[in-house]
Amino acid sequence: PLAVSMQTTRHGKRLLLHARGGMIQQRRLSVLTTGFASRISKVEESFFDPVQRMVLNVPASTANLGPGFDSFGFALDVWNRVTVQRADKFSMEIIGEGADRIDRSEDNLIVRMTAKVLEYLDKPMPSLHFSCQNAVPPTRGMGSSSAALVAGLAAGLALGGKDLTSPATKKLLLQLAANEEGHADNVAPAIYGGFQIAICNEGHWITQRVNIPVGLQCVLFIPDAEMPTNEARACLPEHVTYEDAIFNISRAAMLVNCFATSQFDPLRMSMEDRLHQQYRTHMFPFEPIIKEALEAGAHGAFLSGAGPTVLAITGGVGIGQVGSDTMSQFLAEVVSEAMVRAAKKHGISGTAHIATPSAKGLYSTGRAQSGQLLW
């Protein structure tokens, strides 16, 4: 009997669990959640000076990590910076990744999310100038859309008088972002940093942080070709078997234990997957790249998010942090060269990048019209 199926929504496909003829599914809020707001916090917010200019820094993220489909993700030390400033009229500039094709109109995702939050807070949308410095490549499985989503929602909350540094506002930001995405595997680490496990419980998105081993490095092979997330989700099957579900559950559990206890060697097995990666091989032949990465010394490797980026885990050598000697960088470069060679053999052009996980998620500064630092 079939235990797990997929349901197609406007956000793509999501898992549904069947048990004893019934259906248990994650509930999604039909309206934006209000979050927690105490009397004191409301009074404090009434004292805030309006923000004139803010700078928002949001990291890239990698999701799924193999078996943790739509549930696991961690932040990468690759950043997009968005500066938002009150102005006489709307304008937007973009430099860096995607500058040649990302929409600069008011239909831009960041602008739309800013306006959506202000409407939700019953606040007017002022004329704003947006300046985007993008280091995260778009549509490559590195959380670029999640970074834009988080930046826009955070800008709206700040303009609406919310304290972006408070736990209650960060929780609200997560609810808003995850409701837009339909899952929280990218937005959770983009907001909180680190390795986050995300679940939806009775309409509330909840995350929990998992340890990231000291010395872990990420080798990314980033193809030149893009893979739109909606197309990557469209190829997933409507049903999977108990056998494949159990395969992923056991490996997801082992993966969390490996990170929590800083065990690198079992990652080779615990990053295997049967829920999504195998169904995407016709779109992008990533399996030879994973194979070469493992043979070159990577501890584990997987398709980052919906792809096409492939991420290999290296590091864990010696007793020092990354950068305390050359060994970890040398081994990461060996893996990166193997991944690039494997891609070339299959006619795939792209580049390699070596990154570290980021313990920090969204961070920002804001200034009043007087120039005073607000946060």
Side-chain angles (χ1 to χ4, degrees):
L2 299 173
V4 185
S5 67
M6 292 282 184
Q7 182 184 73
T8 302
T9 71
R10 68 187 183 91
H11 299 285
K13 293 182 177 178
R14 62 193 181 100
L15 284 174
L16 299 178
L17 303 181
H18 300 263
R20 297 181 182 176
M23 183 174 288
I24 306 166
Q25 65 172 298
Q26 293 180 347
R27 298 182 187 176
R28 297 188 61 252
L29 295 180
S30 58
V31 294
L32 300 178
T33 179
T34 56
F36 176 82
S38 70
R39 175 178 175 175
I40 291 175
S41 64
K42 289 180 179 178
V43 172
E44 288 176 334
E45 287 172 359
S46 71
F47 301 150
F48 293 165
D49 288 334
V51 60
Q52 177 72 16
R53 181 179 186 272
M54 72 187 87
V55 180
L56 306 148
N57 300 275
V58 191
S61 54
T62 182
N64 300 332
L65 316 189
F69 181 65
D70 277 4
S71 304
F72 293 178
F74 65 76
L76 296 167
D77 194 20
V78 180
W79 297 83
N80 283 356
R81 172 176 291 179
V82 180
T83 302
V84 183
Q85 185 163 353
R86 294 178 189 267
D88 293 332
K89 63 179 182 179
F90 166 80
S91 60
M92 171 170 271
E93 63 175 336
I94 301 172
I95 60 173
E97 292 285 353
D100 58 337
R101 59 182 184 76
I102 293 178
D103 189 351
R104 287 177 167 80
S105 75
E106 291 175 277
D107 285 332
N108 179 281
L109 179 60
I110 296 174
V111 182
R112 286 192 287 111
M113 290 302 103
T114 302
K116 187 168 188 174
V117 172
L118 287 169
E119 181 182 9
Y120 160 64
L121 296 173
D122 198 24
K123 304 282 187 179
M125 174 73 168
S127 297
L128 298 169
H129 172 68
F130 294 82
S131 177
C132 305
Q133 295 176 295
N134 298 338
V136 184
T139 58
R140 299 301 203 289
M142 294 177 63
S144 61
S145 61
S146 296
L149 192 68
V150 167
L153 293 170
L157 289 170
L159 289 164
K162 296 292 183 181
D163 178 5
L164 291 183
T165 65
S166 77
T169 301
K170 290 176 74 173
K171 177 179 177 291
L172 174 58
L173 177 58
L174 175 69
Q175 308 308 305
L176 299 173
N179 284 339
E180 287 294 326
E181 286 266 271
H183 45 87
D185 52 351
N186 284 108
V187 295
I191 295 167
Y192 291 101
F195 179 178
Q196 300 285 334
I197 300 176
I199 65 170
C200 187
N201 181 55
E202 297 295 320
H204 292 277
W205 293 96
I206 301 170
T207 69
Q208 194 166 44
R209 194 182 190 100
V210 178
N211 171 69
I212 293 182
V214 173
L216 186 146
Q217 283 189 288
C218 304
V219 182
L220 299 101
F221 174 73
I222 308 167
D224 293 332
E226 301 176 358
M227 184 184 290
T229 301
N230 59 341
E231 293 180 17
R233 283 186 172 267
C235 68
L236 299 179
E238 294 296 330
H239 306 282
V240 299
T241 64
Y242 263 116
E243 180 184 3
D244 286 349
I246 292 168
F247 183 96
N248 267 57
I249 290 169
S250 59
R251 280 157 178 76
M254 183 178 287
L255 174 59
V256 172
N257 184 62
C258 287
F259 271 73
T261 58
S262 298
Q263 297 184 64
F264 285 86
D265 290 341
L267 291 175
R268 177 180 296 263
M269 296 173 288
S270 64
M271 287 185 162
E272 295 175 330
D273 164 77
R274 285 188 187 172
L275 288 186
H276 64 102
Q277 290 189 164
Q278 61 185 329
Y279 302 110
R280 291 166 169 164
T281 54
H282 70 284
M283 299 182 68
F284 172 66
F286 59 86
E287 289 179 333
I289 301 174
I290 289 179
K291 181 175 180 291
E292 290 292 333
L294 295 175
E295 291 180 355
H299 301 298
F302 55 90
L303 189 65
S304 181
T309 293
V310 176
L311 190 150
I313 300 294
T314 63
V317 294
I319 59 174
Q321 294 273 2
V322 172
S324 62
D325 57 29
T326 60
M327 180 57 72
S328 60
Q329 181 68 18
F330 170 77
L331 294 176
E333 289 177 2
V334 169
V335 171
S336 72
E337 290 167 3
M339 295 170 78
V340 171
R341 283 197 305 270
K344 284 184 178 178
K345 286 179 184 178
H346 291 81
I348 302 167
S349 62
T351 57
H353 179 71
I354 300 171
T356 55
S358 174
K360 181 165 57 175
L362 167 72
Y363 69 95
S364 62
T365 58
R367 293 186 179 274
Q369 187 172 15
S370 63
Q372 177 187 359
L373 185 67
L374 299 176
W375 75 86

